[in-house]
């Protein structure tokens, strides 16, 4: 059913549930998985025109790739094809943009728990924005 799964990662503990779900779904569906990390850019600054800023983002990019490697290894150990991508921009926008540019069937997004006493809290979260804007199925994983 889901042949290409996208899992955005920010290297926080909450990613564990989405990664575990991705492992199970990828095995069941013989899917490929893409792990995506978005380096949040600074509004109004262009790394392409500022060599110091470009060097800073290059270090962040390498650090993200280093941190993503063990996550990808979990999939590779189970013979699940896995890709690693690092992009720059605003997180929700880049996740949706990536899903639109690739034939992604499912986005697995880590999400916060909703507090019954305050269900409106978190409407502006990345997971909510992705769920609303994505061109494909989105599974919020808690």
């Amino acid at each position: 059913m889901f042949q290409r799964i996208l899992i955005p990662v920010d290297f926080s503990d909450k990613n564990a549930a989405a990664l575990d779900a991705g492992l199970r779904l990828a095995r069941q569906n013989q899917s490929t998985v893409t792990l995506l990390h978005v380096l949040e850019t600074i509004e109004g600054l262009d790394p392409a025109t500022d060599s110091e800023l470009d060097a800073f983002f290059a270090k962040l990019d390498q650090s993200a790739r280093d941190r993503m490697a063990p996550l990808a290894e979990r999939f590779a150990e189970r013979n699940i094809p896995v890709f690693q991508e690092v992009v720059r921009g605003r997180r929700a926008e880049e996740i949706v943009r990536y899903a639109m540019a690739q034939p992604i069937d499912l986005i697995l997004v880590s999400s916060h728990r909703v507090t019954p006493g305050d269900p409106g809290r978190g409407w502006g979260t990345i997971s909510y924005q992705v769920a609303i804007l994505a061109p494909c199925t989105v599974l919020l994983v808690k």
Side-chain angles (χ1 to χ4, degrees), residues 5 9 33 36 46 50 56 67 70 79 87 91 103 107 114 121 137-138 140:
I5 300 172
V9 294
V33 172
L36 176 70
D46 183 5
D50 183 335
F56 171 73
R67 294 178 75 188
N79 296 317
V87 298
R91 288 179 285 178
I107 303 174
V114 174
R121 187 184 134 257
T137 301
V138 176
L140 301 178

Side-chain angles (χ1 to χ4, degrees), residues 18-113:
L19 292 166
D20 290 344
L23 281 167
R24 288 191 305 273
L25 286 169
R27 271 197 310 227
Q28 290 171 359
N29 294 289
Q30 298 178 345
S31 308
T32 62
V33 172
T34 299
L35 303 177
L36 176 70
H37 180 72
V38 180
L39 297 173
E40 189 82 24
T41 54
I42 302 166
E43 196 71 34
L45 297 179
D46 183 5
T49 60
D50 183 335
S51 62
E52 190 173 305
L53 191 57
D54 189 47
F56 171 73
F57 273 104
K59 286 181 183 178
L60 288 178
D61 184 281
Q62 187 57 54
S63 176
R65 291 179 190 283
D66 292 345
R67 294 178 75 188
M68 204 179 308
L71 304 179
E73 186 60 29
R74 291 179 60 197
F75 292 88
E77 288 171 349
R78 291 163 178 84
N79 296 317
I80 297 169
V82 60
F83 303 94
Q84 303 170 61
E85 296 289 340
V86 178
V87 298
R88 297 179 188 176
R90 298 178 59 94
R91 288 179 285 178
E93 291 174 23
E94 292 304 322
I95 293 165
V96 171
R97 183 176 287 122
Y98 189 89
M100 291 173 69
Q102 305 296 320
I104 298 296
D105 302 314
L106 173 68
I107 303 174
L108 286 173
V109 183
S110 301
S111 182
H112 68 288
R113 293 195 182 279

